[in-house]
Structures are given as C-alpha cells and as structure tokens.
Amino acid sequence: MIPTTGDTAATWLHTERFAGTSATERRTAEQRLHHIRDCVLDGARIIPTDHVVDLGAGTGLLTLAALTRVGPHGYVTAVDQSGPALRSIRPSPGGGTLRCVVADAAKLPIPDATAHAVVTRSVLIYLEDLAGTIREAARILKPGGRLSVFEPLNNRRHHDAELTGITAAEIQAINAAAAQATPAARTMTAFDAHVLIGHAADAGFQVHPITTDIVTTTMYTPDAVDTHLNRRPHPGAPTPLETVITALGEPFARRYRQAWHDAVERKPITYTTPVLYLTATARTH
Ligand SMILES: C[S@@+](CC[C@H](N)C(=O)[O-])C[C@H]1O[C@@H](n2cnc3c(N)ncnc32)[C@H](O)[C@@H]1O
C-alpha cells in the first residue's frame, strides 16, 4: 500500500494529478513526463558511478531513471520534504544505491562538493527560498558538476476557451482568488527564467543557454472539461471549480461550468504552458 495519508505532495503525486483522466489522456501525460525526465537527465550528463541528487524527488520520477544511469556503483540521493512520497519510491534491481533524505531543498544535509549532478523537475516554482536552494545546489556539487532543471512557467499558462457570458471582471476575480489560494500560487507568480538565471549566476554557476518549449493539452468534450475543473492543479491547491466558488459563489460556478461546456461544444479548448530547461556548471575553482 502506498503511504500517502496526511501528506499533500504524496497524495497528489499518487492519486490526484491524473484523477478523472481517460486511459489515453493518462498515457499521453505519462509519455510527456518521461520525455521531460529524459531531457533533464541528459542535461545532467550522468555517467556510471556518479552521485546524483534529485531535489524535490517526490515519488521518484527522476530518481528511478537516474539510478539506472549511475549503475550499480553509483548512487542517487532523493531529497524531499515529504517522507511519505520518498518512502513510496521502489527502485528496480541492478541500478545504483538509493538514499532518501527528508529535508528542505534550501537546507541540504549533504556535505560540500560531493555530488556530480543535481537534478530537479517541477519543484523550484514552489520554493519560498529559491536563491538559497540554488546556493545549496552549488555548495554540494563538485567543481564542474552539473545542475539540470525543468520548470513549467505556470504564471504564463493560458487557454483559448471562449467563455460566453462571463465578464472580464469575473475572470479577474477568479484569477485573484487563485493567486491567493495557496503559498505556491504566490511563488509560481514570482518565478521566471530571469529570476532563476540570476540566482544561478549569483551562486557561481556558469549558466548555459536555456531551452524553452511549449506544452499543450487539448480538451474535446464536456467530460474532459469537468475533469479539468475538478482536478487539483498542484499539491494542496483547490480545484479550479472550488476557486470559482470561493471567488463568486455556487450559482455563478454553475454558470461558469456551463460556459466551459458550451465553449468545448463549439470547438476544442487548448491550454498552453511555456516551460524551460536550464543547465549550468558549478564553478571549477
Ligand atoms: C510537483 S512535485 C514534483 C515531484 C518530482 N520532482 C516529479 O518530477 O515527479 C513537487 C515536489 O517538491 C517537493 N517540495 C516542495 N517544496 C519543497 C522544499 N522546500 N523542499 C523539499 N521538497 C519540496 C514536494 O514535496 C513534491 O514532492
């Protein structure tokens, strides 16, 4: 049994992030995650025997593949503030050694200059202390070690639904409620590529040109819309419909949901999320 009780990150990663999706939608989402995982690990240039640190490892998306890459004489330190998430990681035989560390990414109980690579996916956007976390990555990396990061720029995420009858003021009220809903909503708004590059440069990294990409997801049916409106976008967050109820009440939420249904009946609705990959090299002197 997966130990998720009382832990928002573990619960979201195990049961909420794909809640309500069809088998096809889930397969597409998992394929996309695997592509991102492979890009992050390629960016870290991991070789057998390496020590890799996965910051905010969650249930082990990067960790499990990194264990295969470092081989039986390497090891991976999976760091997360969620013990239940880390305890659910199940490595396959034949790979490296797994060490799980429950810690804040900005205060790593890992000695200086002991990691060949630090990797992270979809974690930095949530951090209160982004600068401190990047400094910790620099501290634990050996000279010439690699930092490899993927983050979605959720503050620039948008959709093309034409919501007939919903006013700009109502959309503004919903967006304001979403921005207040969780601490993560605030850190996501503050996060962008320039902030991250600045912190990496300040920590002494040589930052390589960043790669950006666009991730799109398209909804074709009212069922898909309902799944979207009732799924938590990130750990501990209210669902979009809960946010709408908070902002403007239940009667409005019924009208809002109907507007989404009408929109998807007229044409598919696409969400577009800009994302970034950053790699950087730790100072060599
Ligand atoms: C969206 S999940 C991503 C998990 C994993 N990296 C993946 O790609 O599946 C974000 C993870 O970051 C962890 N996290 C958030 N803030 C953290 C912090 N300050 N220190 C350590 N881990 C943190 C959460 O517990 C959660 O497991």
Side-chain angles (χ1 to χ4, degrees):
M1 195 175 117
I2 296 161
T4 59
T5 316
D7 184 278
T8 52
T11 303
W12 187 82
L13 287 164
H14 282 301
T15 66
E16 293 178 338
R17 74 166 140 181
F18 299 131
T21 54
S22 68
T24 309
E25 288 165 341
R26 181 164 179 158
R27 205 167 34 249
T28 304
E30 285 177 340
Q31 280 167 352
R32 191 165 47 229
L33 279 178
H34 292 166
H35 171 72
I36 292 167
R37 172 198 70 193
D38 294 344
C39 289
V40 173
L41 296 182
D42 289 350
R45 299 203 182 143
I46 296 164
I47 57 171
T49 76
D50 270 358
H51 171 210
V52 176
V53 176
D54 180 4
L55 291 184
T59 48
L61 177 75
L62 299 180
T63 290
L64 290 168
L67 283 166
T68 304
R69 292 194 185 206
V70 300
H73 302 295
Y75 63 105
V76 175
T77 304
V79 179
D80 203 286
Q81 64 187 8
S82 164
L86 292 178
R87 283 195 291 280
S88 70
I89 301 177
R90 300 275 179 273
S92 307
T97 302
L98 171 63
R99 297 176 181 176
C100 289
V101 175
V102 178
D104 186 327
K107 291 189 193 110
L108 298 174
I110 297 175
D112 294 359
T114 49
H116 297 91
V118 172
V119 296
T120 189
R121 187 205 77 90
S122 206
V123 174
L124 303 184
I125 53 171
Y126 299 116
L127 299 181
E128 291 290 335
D129 189 2
L130 178 60
T133 298
I134 300 297
R135 276 197 302 275
E136 278 294 79
R139 180 185 65 74
I140 65 171
L141 276 167
K142 291 171 182 280
R146 302 269 291 193
L147 172 68
S148 184
V149 171
F150 166 91
E151 295 296 329
L153 299 172
N154 285 339
N155 55 352
R156 287 169 45 201
R157 187 170 190 245
H158 59 275
H159 64 71
D160 61 1
E162 287 162 15
L163 301 177
T164 308
I166 306 298
T167 67
E170 286 164 340
I171 298 287
Q172 215 175 356
I174 295 165
N175 290 342
Q180 310 269 325
T182 58
R186 189 168 40 75
T187 57
M188 276 181 202
T189 305
F191 185 90
D192 77 15
H194 298 293
V195 172
L196 177 60
I197 290 168
H199 290 324
D202 289 349
F205 280 105
Q206 181 201 342
V207 183
H208 307 295
I210 62 164
T211 307
T212 52
D213 200 355
I214 299 285
V215 172
T216 59
T217 50
T218 301
M219 295 172 274
Y220 297 93
T221 63
D223 277 355
V225 160
D226 279 339
T227 296
H228 162 68
L229 292 176
N230 289 293
R231 190 175 51 223
R232 298 186 195 292
H234 52 84
T239 69
L241 218 46
E242 286 168 349
T243 301
V244 170
I245 292 168
T246 303
L248 295 165
E250 298 251 9
F252 174 82
R254 281 194 287 279
R255 194 156 65 75
Y256 181 79
R257 174 171 169 260
Q258 189 57 51
W260 275 83
H261 281 199
D262 295 344
V264 81
E265 299 279 15
R266 286 194 297 275
K267 69 172 185 61
I269 299 170
T270 297
Y271 259 101
T272 303
T273 311
V275 301
L276 72 80
Y277 293 91
L278 173 139
T279 58
T281 304
R283 73 181 108 208
T284 50
H285 53 83

